[in-house]
């Protein structure tokens, strides 16, 4: 069976990141013909337009990985009511040089988890604006604004809370169909 490849971009570099855990748990809810690979963004240099003609090896790698993907999944925390700088840096790096963006046309899901009560809503809204400019179609609904709670993940790293599991399974089912509809 042909595999649908999803490139996962996590906006946190933290070792025990809830968003990283969420990315792994979501992959468990997907059908077997979907593969999820988290792309490395922690070794990218800070974006400098002077380097556009001579992009570093980690930037080239990131762009190649995005190009090979059928879909994107952004899983991000909210930092100071926006997206983390590491995520914006990765987005900027892979969007250049002008006219050679790796992002254009790749269908994307946007989700996030935070310790705050509004669960990354503002970060996701900023991210959707950025992705619209980059010609990345984003699935609109359902939106996933999760607040970190003790029972959210079980000891296997799956979604442990039944209500959240049902909701996220519904999200994944729609995402799978939506990515496939863009590939068709
Ligand atoms: C620099 C910084 C800014 C933050 N700003 C917000 C914020 O605006 N909204 C929010 O809900 N949480 C905010 N937080 C708390 C994060 O939700 C929390 O650190 C979360 O664990 C980050 O996600 P991670 O576990 O994937 O690293 C902030 C944390 C940091 C370190």
């Amino acid at each position: 069976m042909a595999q649908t490849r999803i490139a996962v971009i996590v906006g946190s570099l933290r070792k025990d990141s809830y968003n990283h855990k969420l990315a792994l748990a979501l992959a468990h809810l997907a059908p077997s013909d979907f593969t999820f690979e988290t792309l490395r963004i922690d070794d990218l240099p800070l974006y400098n337009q002077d380097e556009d003609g001579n992009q570093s090896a980690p930037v080239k790698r990131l762009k190649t990985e995005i190009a090979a993907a059928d879909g994107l999944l952004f899983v991000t925390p909210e930092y100071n009511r926006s997206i983390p700088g590491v995520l914006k840096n990765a987005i900027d790096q892979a969007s250049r040089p002008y006219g050679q963006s790796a992002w254009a046309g790749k269908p994307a899901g946007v989700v996030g988890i935070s310790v705050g009560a509004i669960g990354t809503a503002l970060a996701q809204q900023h991210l959707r604006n950025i992705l619209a400019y980059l010609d990345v179609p984003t699935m609109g609904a359902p939106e996933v604004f999760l607040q970190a709670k003790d029972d959210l993940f079980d000891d296997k790293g799956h979604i442990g809370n039944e209500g959240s599991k049902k909701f996220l399974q519904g999200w994944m089912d729609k995402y799978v169909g939506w990515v496939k509809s863009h590939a068709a």
Side-chain angles (χ1 to χ4, degrees):
M1 197 188 314
Q3 289 291 305
T4 298
R5 298 164 70 166
I6 303 299
V8 182
I9 303 99
V10 177
S12 171
L13 306 184
R14 196 168 75 86
K15 183 165 49 71
D16 292 322
S17 163
Y18 292 119
N19 285 277
H20 184 59
K21 288 178 186 168
L22 176 61
L24 296 177
L26 279 174
H28 287 297
L29 301 178
S32 59
D33 59 331
F34 267 58
T35 54
F36 291 74
E37 185 194 353
T38 300
L39 306 190
R40 190 170 177 194
I41 62 170
D42 67 331
D43 62 344
L44 303 175
L46 287 177
Y47 178 75
N48 178 344
Q49 195 176 355
D50 292 338
E51 304 297 322
D52 269 8
N54 183 30
Q55 289 185 309
S56 67
V59 174
K60 286 182 180 157
R61 180 202 64 223
L62 177 70
K63 293 184 73 175
T64 301
E65 290 168 341
I66 295 165
D70 300 298
L72 307 169
L73 174 57
F74 290 88
V75 187
T76 188
E78 180 171 282
Y79 277 4
N80 300 317
R81 295 288 181 249
S82 188
I83 62 169
V86 289
L87 176 57
K88 184 61 161 59
N89 187 55
I91 292 172
D92 291 345
Q93 289 282 18
S95 73
R96 292 280 155 162
Y98 182 76
Q100 294 174 43
S101 169
W103 302 110
K106 302 279 176 184
V110 175
V111 303
I113 179 169
S114 83
V115 298
I118 60 168
T120 73
L122 283 167
Q124 290 190 38
Q125 207 55 56
H126 285 185
L127 179 56
R128 287 177 188 279
N129 275 357
I130 295 163
L131 295 176
Y133 176 72
L134 293 172
D135 196 22
V136 173
T138 51
M139 189 172 91
E143 295 172 301
V144 177
F145 305 140
L146 288 176
Q147 186 174 20
K149 295 271 168 63
D150 284 346
D151 66 346
L152 185 61
F153 302 105
D154 67 17
D155 53 7
K156 290 194 178 74
H158 298 192
I159 302 295
N161 168 308
E162 273 312 310
S164 299
K165 188 172 176 183
K166 192 170 171 212
F167 171 69
L168 290 171
Q169 186 66 66
W171 181 90
M172 178 56 77
D173 293 348
K174 184 166 179 207
Y175 174 72
V176 163
W178 189 75
V179 169
K180 283 184 172 168
S181 75
H182 279 77

